[in-house]
Amino acid sequence: GINAEYGDLSSLSFEGFLLFDFFFKNINSKANRLEFIPTERGQFITKSFELLGESTLWKIALNAHDPAVGQHAIFCLTHLQTHVAPELYGYLGEQREIFLKKCMDHLSNAAKGIHPKSDSSSLPTHHSNEIIVDRCLTLLKTLIDESESSKRVNIKRHGSGQGPVRKIEVTLPGRMETDTRGEGKEVRVEEEKFVIELHSYDTVGKMRKLVAEKLGKTCEEVQLYYFGHHLKSDHESLKENNIIHKVEVNLISPPLRADKLPSSPLDPDSMNISNNLISPSELLSDHKYFSELFRILELNEQIGKKVWQLLMFLPTNKNLSDALLSLSPQPFDFASFLDVTSPFKLLYTLQIINSLISPSTSPGFTASIDYEWCLRFQQSGGVRYLIQIFMSKEVTDLHNISKKVSSLGLILKILSFFLIDFPNQQRTDHKAPPALNIQELQLVTNLF
């Protein structure tokens, strides 16, 4: 049967997967566990979370050596989670927890089989574990992409507004359009160019939204291309796609009216549970998963980069942000939060501090600077500790140098705020400027 143990599925060909996919969908459809929806593209929706052959589908997704097979199996798994029948809406929160736990368990077990800092090319015995780690990370990212692509899902992501500013030149080529004001004749529209500013960790979706607003179009009408590559995933960052300076736009006809398409399985208006309960990014930012992701960050640089990209799409970890927000004027153990031995954790925490002193107009972000918090941060020893980090040897060695350079840049930005901008603001508000003690003055003198 379809649930039988097939043994080693790592060598499954793409043709073999298509055959499995055909039987998987048809057997579950006959068992009334999947339902075929006759749309233009055709799709199945899940009617039961107990699907025949799902364990085999997991094995294919995580173990297939052919990247195309693995990617299609991953898409199938996430599609089954995000396209469900209305009668299952009330169970989505529980099912999402089960799905994420299963994926994180696979990720953790595979990560334990990889030597820290190892070079996968020199350790073939770890190759299968590294494939599983890579597929699990792709699966988590794809699930976020599939389930949170709705414009109604408003998640405050840690990576939004992070990274260097990039000025993107947008080009809309000349084209023929129907003149709706006249007799409906085709008229020539000249090429348009304009520039938008984004950060390297901002998403393709955010770029698409800015372009659509500039052109007076909807996001669904805007296709983006970077040197001929179609940018389809709204949850991928500019950094992931190596987008540095320019993109090209193609306008398409508005999509079919919503009443002619199956209703979105994650439409908040049609669900009887809070969207936050089923948001995979919110669930993954929970401490039980977050701490494990940070542990895997340190395995090796290649895996670390992929985990870091995932963390940028999750909400900021509540434990870390709450600990910083609840600072008192008393001395604080910053060494446990600003850990110089972990380049990724150091940068992550610095990004939280930077967001607290950098007002943003984006929904859900700091609209103005909390100067009372800034005063508590300085009084609790935050500025002094940042100066000590900047002068330490740990942040200047060559291991994970890219993250350390980013950390040093943020430290300089934060110090500039506290040593120059913040005292000036305090004087403007007729409050006593926060004074540096002798030790801080000595460290600043050495620094500059």
Side-chain angles (χ1 to χ4, degrees):
I2 197 169
N3 275 323
E5 292 295 331
Y6 286 98
D8 184 12
L9 293 167
S10 60
S11 300
L12 185 68
S13 67
F14 189 69
E15 290 75 15
F17 172 75
L18 292 179
L19 184 62
F20 168 83
D21 185 59
F22 173 80
F23 282 110
F24 175 81
K25 290 177 178 176
N26 279 275
I27 289 175
N28 279 288
S29 180
K30 289 181 179 179
N32 200 32
R33 302 186 186 192
L34 288 179
E35 181 181 356
F36 180 74
I37 303 297
T39 61
E40 287 185 353
R41 295 175 61 185
Q43 64 174 322
F44 283 84
I45 63 170
T46 302
K47 298 190 70 178
S48 169
F49 289 125
E50 296 181 357
L51 296 169
L52 300 171
E54 185 177 7
S55 60
T56 304
L57 183 59
W58 271 93
K59 290 180 181 179
I60 296 172
L62 301 184
N63 295 283
H65 288 168
D66 187 335
V69 172
Q71 187 61 50
H72 277 74
I74 285 172
F75 177 78
C76 185
L77 281 172
T78 55
H79 183 93
L80 294 170
Q81 290 292 313
T82 56
H83 294 71
V84 302
E87 59 265 27
L88 296 181
Y89 287 169
Y91 303 97
L92 274 176
E94 179 184 356
Q95 176 61 24
R96 193 57 51 78
E97 281 273 22
I98 294 172
F99 188 87
L100 288 177
K101 184 180 184 304
K102 186 172 185 176
C103 188
M104 287 299 299
D105 285 345
H106 282 296
L107 178 62
S108 299
N109 291 333
K112 291 174 183 176
I114 301 175
H115 291 309
K117 321 299 181 188
S118 67
D119 179 2
S120 59
S121 63
S122 64
L123 292 169
T125 56
H126 296 153
H127 184 59
S128 60
N129 286 322
E130 294 195 350
I131 288 178
I132 294 174
V133 168
D134 180 75
R135 297 287 170 75
C136 286
L137 293 172
T138 302
L139 182 56
L140 293 171
K141 184 77 181 302
T142 306
L143 181 64
I144 292 173
D145 192 25
E146 288 291 310
S147 59
E148 299 178 8
S149 58
S150 169
K151 289 183 289 185
R152 300 189 184 196
V153 179
N154 186 22
I155 304 293
K156 177 185 174 183
R157 306 190 190 281
H158 179 83
S160 183
Q162 301 287 0
V165 173
R166 295 186 177 180
K167 294 185 177 182
I168 309 297
E169 180 184 279
V170 181
T171 302
L172 178 60
R175 62 205 181 278
M176 300 299 293
E177 285 189 357
T178 302
D179 184 6
T180 57
R181 295 171 298 179
E183 300 176 356
K185 296 182 178 179
E186 292 287 308
V187 295
R188 175 71 180 175
V189 179
E190 297 302 319
E191 178 183 82
E192 297 180 51
K193 286 189 176 183
F194 54 90
V195 175
I196 58 176
E197 287 193 3
L198 292 161
H199 294 265
S200 61
Y201 279 107
D202 284 335
T203 62
V204 170
K206 184 174 181 178
M207 178 167 62
R208 191 188 313 277
K209 183 178 180 181
L210 290 177
V211 171
E213 289 174 351
K214 185 77 174 179
L215 296 175
K217 303 290 184 179
T218 66
C219 290
E220 289 78 9
E221 295 175 271
V222 173
Q223 291 182 335
L224 300 175
Y225 292 85
Y226 183 62
F227 287 102
H229 172 63
H230 187 188
L231 303 172
K232 296 181 180 179
S233 177
D234 278 353
H235 285 273
E236 289 184 352
S237 67
L238 273 61
K239 185 178 179 68
E240 282 181 276
N241 287 281
N242 297 314
I243 299 171
I244 300 174
H245 58 286
K246 61 174 63 177
V247 294
E248 189 169 292
V249 177
N250 179 44
L251 296 179
I252 61 174
S253 300
L256 293 174
R257 285 173 25 214
D259 59 2
K260 293 188 177 181
L261 295 172
S263 61
S264 170
L266 294 182
D267 184 353
D269 291 338
S270 65
M271 299 182 66
N272 56 8
I273 56 174
S274 167
N275 194 56
N276 287 333
L277 292 177
I278 59 170
S279 164
S281 61
E282 293 278 0
L283 293 172
L284 281 171
S285 66
D286 185 87
H287 188 67
K288 63 183 177 183
Y289 296 138
F290 188 83
S291 57
E292 180 62 15
L293 289 172
F294 256 103
R295 185 188 71 80
I296 298 172
L297 267 173
E298 305 297 333
L299 284 177
N300 62 47
E301 190 169 355
Q302 183 179 7
I303 292 175
K305 287 180 179 178
K306 293 177 180 178
V307 179
W308 181 257
Q309 290 171 353
L310 175 63
L311 288 171
M312 292 299 100
F313 289 99
L314 305 182
T316 299
N317 179 256
K318 197 170 185 302
N319 288 36
L320 287 176
S321 60
D322 284 353
L324 288 170
L325 285 170
S326 61
L327 284 175
S328 70
Q330 305 303 316
F332 181 76
D333 180 21
F334 281 100
S336 61
F337 285 85
L338 295 165
D339 185 359
V340 294
T341 65
S342 173
F344 289 101
K345 187 175 182 181
L346 174 62
L347 178 57
Y348 190 91
T349 312
L350 287 170
Q351 288 175 339
I352 298 176
I353 297 173
N354 180 58
S355 69
L356 294 172
I357 64 170
S358 304
S360 172
T361 56
S362 300
F365 288 81
T366 304
S368 60
I369 298 174
D370 183 349
Y371 288 101
E372 293 298 327
W373 178 86
C374 293
L375 186 59
R376 295 199 307 273
F377 178 81
Q378 190 171 59
Q379 291 173 338
S380 60
V383 173
R384 180 188 305 115
Y385 189 73
L386 287 177
I387 296 173
Q388 291 173 347
I389 290 178
F390 192 86
M391 302 295 290
S392 68
K393 295 180 180 179
E394 286 88 346
V395 295
T396 56
D397 64 33
L398 296 180
H399 174 58
N400 274 322
I401 188 62
S402 62
K403 290 290 175 287
K404 291 180 178 179
V405 168
S406 298
S407 293
L408 289 171
L410 277 181
I411 291 173
L412 281 175
K413 180 182 177 181
I414 295 168
L415 287 177
S416 174
F417 170 81
F418 278 101
L419 299 177
I420 301 173
D421 300 336
F422 182 42
N424 289 337
Q425 176 66 35
Q426 292 289 297
R427 282 193 289 271
T428 301
D429 292 343
H430 305 290
K431 296 180 181 179
L436 298 176
N437 60 33
I438 295 176
Q439 184 181 9
E440 288 175 325
L441 287 171
Q442 185 177 0
L443 287 170
V444 171
T445 302
N446 292 335
L447 179 62
F448 295 104

